[in-house]
Amino acid sequence: MVLAMLLSGTIGLLVVESGLPVMLVVWLRCLLGALGLAAWVAYSRQWLRPTRAESLWLAVGGLALVLNWVCLFTAYGYSSIAVATVVYHVQPFILLLLAAMLGQEALPVRKLPWLLLALIGVTLSSGLLQGGHAASAAGVLLTLAAATLYAVATLATQRLKRLAPAQIAMLQMVIGVLALAAPAWQLATSAQFSAKAWAAVVVLGLVHTAWMYTLMYAAFQRLSAQAIAGLSFIYPVVAVLVDLLWFGHHPAPVQALGMVLILLAVWAYRRPKK
């Protein structure tokens, strides 16, 4: 789990350093991730033929997942990797609200203060309260869209209890390959594929997608929910360090306060009930 979260924290570095259009990066990640996960599914013999209903939920989850990546990776260029990654971690609250809206779960009153704290953190992180540039706010809005799409993908995936997680991820990658094939092909004709770009997308697809998913699934089978929730905070911390040490991005004091409030709210939300 630690290794998987360390890898997650460096995804933004690879996306930015590739220098390729976001849509093309997402498509290549889906393609290479699908190939790597297919090899794992075949090796572990986890394949089951999806039913018609399962195919529908796979399609919904797959589209939501790849569009989530498109929004999140685009947000890196508007705000910063650190701000986008931390704001992205409000997704548990968005999942809570969506589940309540769909009537799947009641909205627990005791969680609402942490939701409010997270919203205050998002507002501060946007930089608007200190006269920040509109681009930073656009990055935060894109990140919130990405978090919402990820929540949709999570709800769709919850309907697929019969299928192995690796098979679900593989089929979602395949859906992403098919959905983004046309725009990605158009972008590929004019993109500059340097050696660094190829190295970035290959590592992103095989290491940060196929291998990382395998690591997380292995961890989920061995750890408690409390341990998983605690270790997941390695992801935003590493992303902040990468943004600071590699790109030299320093969030403004108000933005830093907002990021701290978001992480505090998510930690409190995930804390087990006494």
Side-chain angles (χ1 to χ4, degrees), residues 84 99 110 146 157 184 190 202 238 244 253-254 261:
R110 68 183 184 88
T157 303
S190 58
V202 168
V238 172
L244 178 65
V254 173
L261 292 180

PDB file of all heavy atoms in Angstrom, residues 84 99 110 146 157 184 190 202 238 244 253-254 261:
ATOM      1  N   ALA A  84      -4.179  20.574  -6.956  1.00  0.00           N
ATOM      2  CA  ALA A  84      -5.133  19.683  -7.618  1.00  0.00           C
ATOM      3  C   ALA A  84      -5.252  18.355  -6.879  1.00  0.00           C
ATOM      4  O   ALA A  84      -6.358  17.837  -6.679  1.00  0.00           O
ATOM      5  CB  ALA A  84      -4.716  19.452  -9.066  1.00  0.00           C
ATOM      6  N   ALA A  99     -24.396   9.250  -3.064  1.00  0.00           N
ATOM      7  CA  ALA A  99     -25.094   8.089  -2.520  1.00  0.00           C
ATOM      8  C   ALA A  99     -26.390   8.499  -1.832  1.00  0.00           C
ATOM      9  O   ALA A  99     -27.411   7.815  -1.929  1.00  0.00           O
ATOM     10  CB  ALA A  99     -24.186   7.341  -1.547  1.00  0.00           C
ATOM     11  N   ARG A 110     -23.495  13.485  11.524  1.00  0.00           N
ATOM     12  CA  ARG A 110     -22.212  13.682  12.197  1.00  0.00           C
ATOM     13  C   ARG A 110     -21.065  13.921  11.224  1.00  0.00           C
ATOM     14  O   ARG A 110     -19.991  14.369  11.626  1.00  0.00           O
ATOM     15  CB  ARG A 110     -21.899  12.473  13.086  1.00  0.00           C
ATOM     16  CG  ARG A 110     -21.616  11.194  12.331  1.00  0.00           C
ATOM     17  CD  ARG A 110     -21.392  10.026  13.271  1.00  0.00           C
ATOM     18  NE  ARG A 110     -21.021   8.816  12.561  1.00  0.00           N
ATOM     19  CZ  ARG A 110     -19.790   8.487  12.256  1.00  0.00           C
ATOM     20  NH1 ARG A 110     -18.785   9.273  12.620  1.00  0.00           N
ATOM     21  NH2 ARG A 110     -19.517   7.363  11.608  1.00  0.00           N
ATOM     22  N   ALA A 146     -13.302  16.177 -11.620  1.00  0.00           N
ATOM     23  CA  ALA A 146     -12.615  14.884 -11.625  1.00  0.00           C
ATOM     24  C   ALA A 146     -13.022  14.046 -10.423  1.00  0.00           C
ATOM     25  O   ALA A 146     -13.277  12.836 -10.539  1.00  0.00           O
ATOM     26  CB  ALA A 146     -11.101  15.103 -11.631  1.00  0.00           C
ATOM     27  N   THR A 157     -18.744   0.796  -9.942  1.00  0.00           N
ATOM     28  CA  THR A 157     -17.923  -0.379  -9.648  1.00  0.00           C
ATOM     29  C   THR A 157     -18.499  -1.192  -8.503  1.00  0.00           C
ATOM     30  O   THR A 157     -18.346  -2.412  -8.453  1.00  0.00           O
ATOM     31  CB  THR A 157     -16.476   0.064  -9.325  1.00  0.00           C
ATOM     32  OG1 THR A 157     -15.958   0.813 -10.432  1.00  0.00           O
ATOM     33  CG2 THR A 157     -15.575  -1.140  -9.082  1.00  0.00           C
ATOM     34  N   ALA A 184      -7.712  11.008 -29.664  1.00  0.00           N
ATOM     35  CA  ALA A 184      -6.311  10.697 -29.411  1.00  0.00           C
ATOM     36  C   ALA A 184      -5.553  10.516 -30.726  1.00  0.00           C
ATOM     37  O   ALA A 184      -4.397  10.950 -30.854  1.00  0.00           O
ATOM     38  CB  ALA A 184      -6.186   9.436 -28.554  1.00  0.00           C
ATOM     39  N   SER A 190       0.019  15.206 -34.626  1.00  0.00           N
ATOM     40  CA  SER A 190       0.786  16.446 -34.491  1.00  0.00           C
ATOM     41  C   SER A 190       1.629  16.499 -33.225  1.00  0.00           C
ATOM     42  O   SER A 190       2.354  17.471 -33.004  1.00  0.00           O
ATOM     43  CB  SER A 190      -0.166  17.652 -34.507  1.00  0.00           C
ATOM     44  OG  SER A 190      -1.118  17.551 -33.458  1.00  0.00           O
ATOM     45  N   VAL A 202       5.035   5.236 -20.983  1.00  0.00           N
ATOM     46  CA  VAL A 202       5.210   3.799 -20.738  1.00  0.00           C
ATOM     47  C   VAL A 202       5.224   3.515 -19.245  1.00  0.00           C
ATOM     48  O   VAL A 202       4.565   2.580 -18.770  1.00  0.00           O
ATOM     49  CB  VAL A 202       6.500   3.283 -21.414  1.00  0.00           C
ATOM     50  CG1 VAL A 202       6.840   1.885 -20.920  1.00  0.00           C
ATOM     51  CG2 VAL A 202       6.344   3.270 -22.933  1.00  0.00           C
ATOM     52  N   VAL A 238       3.146  13.088  -0.986  1.00  0.00           N
ATOM     53  CA  VAL A 238       4.173  12.914  -2.016  1.00  0.00           C
ATOM     54  C   VAL A 238       3.943  13.889  -3.173  1.00  0.00           C
ATOM     55  O   VAL A 238       4.884  14.486  -3.700  1.00  0.00           O
ATOM     56  CB  VAL A 238       4.181  11.456  -2.533  1.00  0.00           C
ATOM     57  CG1 VAL A 238       5.098  11.311  -3.745  1.00  0.00           C
ATOM     58  CG2 VAL A 238       4.633  10.513  -1.428  1.00  0.00           C
ATOM     59  N   LEU A 244       6.782  20.765  -4.977  1.00  0.00           N
ATOM     60  CA  LEU A 244       7.681  21.715  -4.323  1.00  0.00           C
ATOM     61  C   LEU A 244       9.137  21.519  -4.749  1.00  0.00           C
ATOM     62  O   LEU A 244       9.825  22.474  -5.124  1.00  0.00           O
ATOM     63  CB  LEU A 244       7.551  21.568  -2.804  1.00  0.00           C
ATOM     64  CG  LEU A 244       8.449  22.457  -1.940  1.00  0.00           C
ATOM     65  CD1 LEU A 244       8.089  23.920  -2.132  1.00  0.00           C
ATOM     66  CD2 LEU A 244       8.333  22.060  -0.473  1.00  0.00           C
ATOM     67  N   PRO A 253       0.204  31.166   1.298  1.00  0.00           N
ATOM     68  CA  PRO A 253      -0.173  30.758   2.665  1.00  0.00           C
ATOM     69  C   PRO A 253      -1.647  30.400   2.815  1.00  0.00           C
ATOM     70  O   PRO A 253      -1.982  29.422   3.499  1.00  0.00           O
ATOM     71  CB  PRO A 253       0.196  31.989   3.500  1.00  0.00           C
ATOM     72  CG  PRO A 253       1.312  32.639   2.742  1.00  0.00           C
ATOM     73  CD  PRO A 253       0.987  32.414   1.301  1.00  0.00           C
ATOM     74  N   VAL A 254      -2.525  31.183   2.188  1.00  0.00           N
ATOM     75  CA  VAL A 254      -3.957  30.886   2.291  1.00  0.00           C
ATOM     76  C   VAL A 254      -4.274  29.560   1.605  1.00  0.00           C
ATOM     77  O   VAL A 254      -5.075  28.761   2.114  1.00  0.00           O
ATOM     78  CB  VAL A 254      -4.789  32.029   1.666  1.00  0.00           C
ATOM     79  CG1 VAL A 254      -6.264  31.652   1.611  1.00  0.00           C
ATOM     80  CG2 VAL A 254      -4.604  33.307   2.457  1.00  0.00           C
ATOM     81  N   LEU A 261      -6.727  22.093   5.711  1.00  0.00           N
ATOM     82  CA  LEU A 261      -8.106  21.887   6.156  1.00  0.00           C
ATOM     83  C   LEU A 261      -8.760  20.726   5.409  1.00  0.00           C
ATOM     84  O   LEU A 261      -9.509  19.944   6.005  1.00  0.00           O
ATOM     85  CB  LEU A 261      -8.922  23.164   5.958  1.00  0.00           C
ATOM     86  CG  LEU A 261      -8.557  24.364   6.839  1.00  0.00           C
ATOM     87  CD1 LEU A 261      -9.450  25.552   6.522  1.00  0.00           C
ATOM     88  CD2 LEU A 261      -8.637  24.000   8.317  1.00  0.00           C
TER      89      LEU A 261
END
